[in-house]
Amino acid sequence: MSIQTAPNGPRHIPVLGWRYRGLQMIKDPVHFFQEMHRRFGDFSCFDPKHPRQFCAFGAELNRYVFSKPDIFIVDAFRESKLPRNSAIERLSFGLMRLNGADHRRHRRLMQPAFRSAIIDRHASSILDEAEKVMSSWQHGQFVDIDQAIMHMVSNIAFKTMFGVGDPSITDGLHYKMKQLLHLATNPLNLLLPFDYPLLPYRKMLRIANAIELDVKAIIANKSIHLGDDILSVLIESSTDEDGAFSENELIAEAYTTLCQESVEES
């Protein structure tokens, strides 16, 4: 498969350019991408005048994009220009941001943690947590289903990913992750990415530092006390060809996986 023509997209916005579309996407990602697909088809871009950010819909186009690292870069943070060697940059270097040989290597190292036998292992934890939440509801009680489900999914994610169920650890880290997600999608950080007092960008960097320290501590403890959770499998994952994850790679993949499981539902 090849893409022969320049992709369509919404009209160019002077000065702001792609940033205007980026702000629209941050405000409501689901609606934004649905509209891009409805209006412009399976392959489009934010700004046809300067085509740098593309939307590819469907399995075939995604396989094409991922198989052409010399043409396409899969990197949601490229335009953010995160500070080099910072905690937030290290946290962002998970599988979702990697390309080419690095992407293939990380996929191979992560495969053992997501085999069906490993996933089946956690079915009882998922059922137990769901039962615990539902059994706490009383007849006639009003329940905020949105918050209840988010809290339940968060607990399941920490248990299956890190093997941690202590609320003194999970609640604090989950709160920081939600803060970081909120700050990372703050339009001011797109327009004013500077580490200055009073700017949300500075707060975002500080929270990322705190999250990295928390994840490091969990990994250090897990390295001594391995279990049947996903993190334990990742720690043990190694091949003769690729070697094991480095500490920074392990932190990034643990954080990325946990984000996908426990934060995206918000």
Side-chain angles (χ1 to χ4, degrees), residues 111-123:
Q111 280 176 353
F114 294 94
R115 290 173 181 156
S116 58
I118 300 294
I119 301 302
D120 290 345
R121 227 186 260 172
H122 301 298

Side-chain angles (χ1 to χ4, degrees), residues 200-220:
Y201 195 80
R202 168 165 287 189
K203 185 177 182 180
M204 180 180 73
L205 298 180
R206 301 301 182 269
I207 292 175
N209 287 335
I211 291 173
E212 183 182 47
L213 290 175
D214 287 348
V215 176
K216 273 187 176 181
I218 292 173
I219 290 174

Side-chain angles (χ1 to χ4, degrees), residues 126-141 143 145 148-149 152:
I126 296 171
L127 292 173
D128 289 346
E129 185 63 32
E131 177 62 30
K132 183 173 72 174
V133 171
M134 289 188 292
S135 64
S136 68
W137 298 342
Q138 304 298 318
H139 180 71
Q141 175 186 358
V143 176
I145 291 295
I149 295 299
M152 182 186 72

Side-chain angles (χ1 to χ4, degrees), residues 45-203:
C45 64
F46 281 23
D47 186 347
K49 188 173 182 179
H50 303 288
R52 288 171 56 84
Q53 295 80 24
F54 298 94
C55 300
F57 299 94
E60 187 178 8
L61 275 173
N62 273 268
R63 278 195 296 269
Y64 180 83
V65 167
F66 277 102
S67 67
K68 301 290 184 182
D70 54 325
I71 301 175
F72 298 102
I73 297 175
V74 180
D75 185 355
F77 297 92
R78 182 179 62 173
E79 303 292 355
S80 301
K81 297 180 174 59
L82 300 176
R84 293 298 306 273
N85 299 317
S86 63
I88 195 166
E89 184 190 51
R90 288 189 292 272
L91 290 175
S92 74
F93 271 118
L95 187 64
M96 305 288 285
R97 190 184 178 184
L98 299 177
N99 296 268
D102 287 336
H103 185 270
R104 290 191 295 273
R105 173 177 172 270
H106 276 238
R107 284 192 63 180
R108 282 195 293 268
L109 287 173
M110 292 187 72
Q111 280 176 353
F114 294 94
R115 290 173 181 156
S116 58
I118 300 294
I119 301 302
D120 290 345
R121 227 186 260 172
H122 301 298
S124 60
S125 296
I126 296 171
L127 292 173
D128 289 346
E129 185 63 32
E131 177 62 30
K132 183 173 72 174
V133 171
M134 289 188 292
S135 64
S136 68
W137 298 342
Q138 304 298 318
H139 180 71
Q141 175 186 358
F142 287 93
V143 176
D144 186 332
I145 291 295
D146 182 53
Q147 291 299 315
I149 295 299
M150 284 197 295
H151 190 259
M152 182 186 72
V153 173
S154 172
N155 288 341
I156 291 171
F158 276 100
K159 184 67 175 177
T160 57
M161 178 63 207
F162 286 164
V164 175
D166 184 352
S168 67
I169 298 174
T170 60
D171 289 354
L173 182 53
H174 186 246
Y175 177 71
K176 291 172 191 172
M177 290 170 64
K178 289 181 70 174
Q179 279 189 304
L180 185 59
L181 178 65
H182 176 73
L183 289 165
T185 55
N186 187 323
L188 277 179
N189 285 330
L190 186 63
L191 299 174
L192 299 170
F194 306 114
D195 185 9
Y196 294 156
L198 304 181
L199 287 182
Y201 195 80
R202 168 165 287 189
K203 185 177 182 180

Side-chain angles (χ1 to χ4, degrees), residues 36-53:
M36 289 290 286
H37 186 244
R38 183 185 66 81
R39 294 175 61 192
F40 306 110
D42 289 342
F43 190 66
S44 58
C45 64
F46 281 23
D47 186 347
K49 188 173 182 179
H50 303 288
R52 288 171 56 84
Q53 295 80 24

